Amino acid sequence: MNWSRRNFLTSLSTTALVLSLDDVLALAAPQTSQPAQQTGSRPTYDAVPRPAPKGLPSPVAGTPLDISFIDVARQSGLNAKTIYGGEHKNRYLLETTGCGVAFYDYDHDDWIDIFLVNGTRLDGFPKGQEPLSRLFKNNRDGTFTDVTLKAGVGRAGWGQGCCVGDYNNDGWNDLFVSYYGQNVLYRNNGNGTFTDVTEKAGLLQSKTRWNSGCAFIDYDRDGHLDLFVANYIDFDIKTAPLPEAAGCAYKGIQVACGPPGLQGGKNILYRNNGDGTFTDVSQKSGMWDTIGTYGLSVAVSDIDGDGWPDIYVANDSTAATFYQNQKDGTFKDVAIEAGIAYSPDGKPQAGMGVSIGDFNRDGRFDIVKTNFAGDTDSLYVNLGDGNFDDHTYMSGLGVNTRYLGWGVGFFDMDNDGWPDIFICNGHVYPEVDGTAIDAPYAEHKYLYRNLRNGQFEEVTAQGGPGITTPAPGRGCAFGDYDNDGVVDVVVNCINSLPQLLRCESTTGRNWIKIRTVGTKSNRSGIGAKISVTTTTPDGAKPFIQIDEVRSGGSYYSQNDLRIHFGLDHSAKADSVEIKWPSGTTDKLTDLVPNHLYVIQEGGKILKTVAMGASSQSKALTTPATASKP
């Protein structure tokens, strides 16, 4: 018998062996030679930083980055400050989480726009002066125009996350925004305006919930996008403890209480009825039969490679949740068996953000998760068969324990075909500012370059002022807003203006983008798995990379739905294969680089746009060919 972690845990139920919970978790956790440490569980602990791993020589370590990120938010017109809780002191946990952001092409002109979720304060604001979530239209010249009121998406309240998908298959991607309170579903009218259809769609909630991360997902593969909404805690300001009364402290500083000791929220799954309405199937689907709670960020992906989308939730101060799709309308939490619930030493972590990608190019999707200060961030490598190994220390991510991570993403910053990692940091407690006992409230980002050997090199110091300048970051999203062929990052900060980190690259490498349009599958193509094959420089073997069209992710945020692939110096993409949620597979060959391809299910290329430094459209000189294998 092949003794995987899952097989071992399953075998316990058929034996007379009696172990304590700690024994089981220790055996279930991946083995590591590193000493145990306390993780980011709140509120108080002392972390022991661990030395960087000694890895194999890398072909790129120490070489110039040829990449610099510059914050151009002010000159680009992103001038709306995100308001969220008190700036110097917080009474409740509600004031700490901040908001997400979306790179969202709402008008389908293939220039991605920006939606910034906003919050509020406990004391409120005079009528007409409330902070609003903001939609900024891309002017195609590096600037944006605030079209919030015209579009009809200006809403006040404790905004949390956002996600995008065409829930009614009318050809226009819609917008869902989660709130502490009542969520909102905006139907895209296709003319630059939106209609609030929350009540009409059956998404009104009977009680106040702290809704957090969200994602559209076609979990039953019927061609209609369903909706998953994580929940943080069951919070009532009338009964929530105050720090001075409950004695809540972080390293001796009085701070907001929670989440340990507070009642965790229940995650929600809404099934799309196919007629513009949804039905709550949370309990029926098995969402509530889990040990994880305090849900924050959500990632949806076919993580186990069986063709059905799964759901991974980063939970604060407890085990992460891996909802494995059972292909019959139900889910089962197998995070512990899979090895992606706890730290390497079997302890719960305070998870914040999450991203999915194939960082080691083995054809399987891996997971990166950000955690609380004093702990490392987590990198789980996919071993296949639904099993993972904690690769945090072997990969080089274990060198950093000081900062608190939120938004995160696998993204190919240098177009070499190997996903790198960006992490957005910021402390949760503004009370730490002015003290010498912990990291500051505003923190710089982390940037890790993929060394192509299973390891990453931290290149934060070489990443430019957009990386090294401290900011109170929360949600971040990834996309090429200026269509110059390199991926940029937008960051939603807390009680501050946003950041728009333009990537300036001198690598000269090629790339392609793919935008999917479903027919039998959902119109957005969410869940479509894309593989791109090029030829290695020596021609010895094919160079294959994979990605997937996803809703949600990072921390409370939405990335550009156009999928970007770096091609290094390859003169073409030999083949692009798309496996659609419906089961259809399309294959296109000989794609010219440095173009966007809009591909309809069935293999038809609807649109081809040449992009680059000038970002001007022109027709292809060499048409691609499409076939159905």
Side-chain angles (χ1 to χ4, degrees):
M1 181 177 184
N2 182 19
W3 281 98
S4 67
R5 183 183 304 106
R6 178 174 299 179
N7 289 337
F8 170 76
L9 291 173
T10 301
S11 72
L12 293 180
S13 63
T14 61
T15 70
L17 180 62
V18 178
L19 298 175
S20 70
L21 178 59
D22 288 342
D23 291 333
V24 172
L25 296 182
L27 287 167
Q31 295 301 307
T32 174
S33 59
Q34 301 291 344
Q37 73 169 21
Q38 287 186 318
T39 65
S41 300
R42 303 187 197 179
T44 305
Y45 53 85
D46 293 313
V48 180
R50 306 184 191 181
K54 295 180 180 180
L56 298 173
S58 166
V60 295
T63 60
L65 190 59
D66 297 326
I67 293 289
S68 182
F69 289 90
I70 311 296
D71 184 5
V72 297
R74 310 302 179 269
Q75 53 265 50
S76 297
L78 299 184
N79 53 14
K81 180 178 179 179
T82 296
I83 303 297
Y84 208 93
E87 296 203 19
H88 305 291
K89 182 176 177 59
N90 292 329
R91 286 171 283 175
Y92 298 103
L93 193 64
L94 178 61
E95 301 176 81
T96 67
T97 56
C99 309
V101 59
F103 266 137
Y104 169 33
D105 183 15
Y106 77 95
D107 51 4
H108 288 206
D109 64 352
D110 283 305
W111 289 79
I112 51 175
D113 313 294
I114 294 175
F115 180 78
L116 286 156
V117 184
N118 214 327
T120 186
R121 291 197 173 123
L122 293 173
D123 298 334
F125 290 84
K127 187 173 179 57
Q129 299 180 29
E130 303 93 342
L132 303 176
S133 295
R134 296 281 173 178
L135 179 63
F136 289 89
K137 177 176 170 53
N138 194 325
N139 298 324
R140 312 184 191 184
D141 60 1
T143 68
F144 293 81
T145 297
D146 188 337
V147 295
T148 304
L149 298 182
K150 178 182 177 181
V153 294
R155 177 177 168 179
W158 292 102
Q160 299 290 290
C162 57
C163 51
V164 170
D166 186 358
Y167 83 95
N168 57 355
N169 286 334
D170 66 352
W172 297 91
N173 286 321
D174 309 295
L175 174 66
F176 180 84
V177 187
S178 63
Y179 279 83
Y180 167 70
Q182 177 58 56
N183 301 321
V184 59
L185 175 62
Y186 292 111
R187 185 187 66 210
N188 191 334
N189 298 322
N191 60 2
T193 69
F194 293 78
T195 299
D196 181 346
V197 295
T198 310
E199 182 176 6
K200 182 178 179 181
L203 296 177
L204 289 181
Q205 296 175 326
S206 58
K207 70 172 187 176
T208 298
R209 291 182 177 273
W210 190 335
N211 304 281
S212 52
C214 64
F216 285 101
I217 173 176
D218 184 7
Y219 76 90
D220 50 7
R221 292 176 39 181
D222 65 352
H224 301 284
L225 286 176
D226 313 297
L227 178 63
F228 178 84
V229 186
N231 269 241
Y232 192 32
I233 61 174
D234 286 343
F235 178 82
D236 185 345
I237 200 169
K238 297 177 182 178
T239 59
L242 286 169
E244 56 268 24
C248 298
Y250 172 79
K251 296 187 177 181
I253 304 174
Q254 192 176 83
V255 297
C257 299
L262 302 179
Q263 181 64 44
K266 293 286 190 181
N267 299 330
I268 304 171
L269 181 65
Y270 296 102
R271 184 181 185 277
N272 192 325
N273 299 321
D275 59 0
T277 67
F278 292 82
T279 298
D280 187 339
V281 294
S282 308
Q283 191 165 10
K284 178 181 178 182
S285 63
M287 288 288 148
W288 292 357
D289 299 329
T290 67
I291 63 171
T293 186
Y294 305 140
L296 287 174
S297 298
V298 176
V300 295
S301 176
D302 180 15
I303 298 174
D304 57 5
D306 65 355
W308 293 77
D310 311 297
I311 304 170
Y312 185 79
V313 184
N315 295 323
D316 189 358
S317 303
T318 188
T321 303
F322 174 26
Y323 292 112
Q324 186 182 58
N325 196 323
Q326 301 300 295
K327 311 175 190 178
D328 59 0
T330 68
F331 290 81
K332 181 181 179 182
D333 179 14
V334 296
I336 294 177
E337 299 97 313
I340 49 180
Y342 296 106
S343 70
D345 40 20
K347 296 180 182 293
Q349 296 175 289
M352 303 293 175
V354 61
S355 181
I356 307 290
D358 180 17
F359 82 90
N360 57 358
R361 300 271 319 286
D362 64 355
R364 296 186 290 261
F365 289 126
D366 311 299
I367 301 172
V368 61
K369 177 169 68 77
T370 55
N371 297 309
F372 201 77
D375 194 2
T376 68
D377 298 307
S378 300
L379 181 65
Y380 299 108
V381 62
N382 193 332
L383 304 177
D385 298 324
N387 291 289
F388 290 77
D389 191 19
D390 192 309
H391 205 66
T392 304
Y393 292 101
M394 292 191 64
S395 70
L397 265 66
V399 299
N400 288 312
T401 62
R402 188 170 182 235
Y403 287 169
L404 196 160
W406 299 88
V408 59
F410 284 116
F411 78 125
D412 187 359
M413 65 178 171
D414 50 9
N415 283 334
D416 67 349
W418 293 82
D420 309 293
I421 296 176
F422 173 102
I423 294 176
C424 186
N425 297 310
H427 211 289
V428 71
Y429 303 125
E431 292 87 351
V432 301
D433 263 353
T435 73
I437 65 172
D438 203 24
Y441 190 61
E443 300 173 348
H444 64 67
K445 316 293 189 292
Y446 288 148
L447 188 64
Y448 297 96
R449 171 166 54 182
N450 194 324
L451 297 182
R452 313 176 196 175
N453 61 359
Q455 295 183 317
F456 290 85
E457 173 190 17
E458 188 191 347
V459 291
T460 300
Q462 299 97 287
I467 302 296
T468 59
T469 301
R474 292 297 188 266
C476 68
F478 301 82
D480 181 5
Y481 82 91
D482 51 1
N483 284 344
D484 65 350
V486 288
V487 179
D488 312 296
V489 188
V490 60
V491 181
N492 202 349
C493 298
I494 190 167
N495 289 316
S496 181
L497 291 170
Q499 295 178 303
L500 181 59
L501 307 183
R502 185 182 68 210
C503 182
E504 298 185 346
S505 171
T506 58
T507 65
R509 296 187 175 114
N510 295 325
W511 51 271
I512 61 169
K513 297 185 196 296
I514 306 293
R515 176 159 69 83
T516 54
V517 179
T519 53
K520 293 180 181 179
S521 303
N522 67 85
R523 192 68 174 268
S524 303
I526 289 171
K529 182 178 178 181
I530 306 172
S531 62
V532 174
T533 302
T534 52
T535 304
T536 56
D538 58 6
K541 61 180 180 179
F543 186 88
I544 303 173
Q545 46 187 314
I546 64 169
D547 207 343
E548 199 174 49
V549 184
R550 301 185 185 94
S551 176
S554 182
Y555 175 77
Y556 282 8
S557 297
Q558 173 68 60
N559 300 325
D560 183 8
L561 286 174
R562 304 177 304 177
I563 306 302
H564 181 102
F565 293 93
L567 301 182
D568 204 348
H569 294 291
S570 296
K572 65 178 180 177
D574 297 330
S575 70
V576 172
E577 185 176 274
I578 305 177
K579 294 183 178 179
W580 299 86
S582 67
T584 299
T585 298
D586 294 321
K587 187 174 182 179
L588 299 94
T589 59
D590 299 326
L591 295 185
V592 177
N594 307 330
H595 286 74
L596 163 71
Y597 296 89
V598 182
I599 302 175
Q600 186 181 71
E601 187 173 8
K604 182 179 181 181
I605 298 178
L606 300 179
K607 180 181 179 182
T608 304
V609 182
M611 296 179 177
S614 62
S615 298
Q616 297 297 314
S617 302
K618 61 182 180 180
L620 273 173
T621 56
T622 305
T625 58
S627 62
K628 297 183 70 174

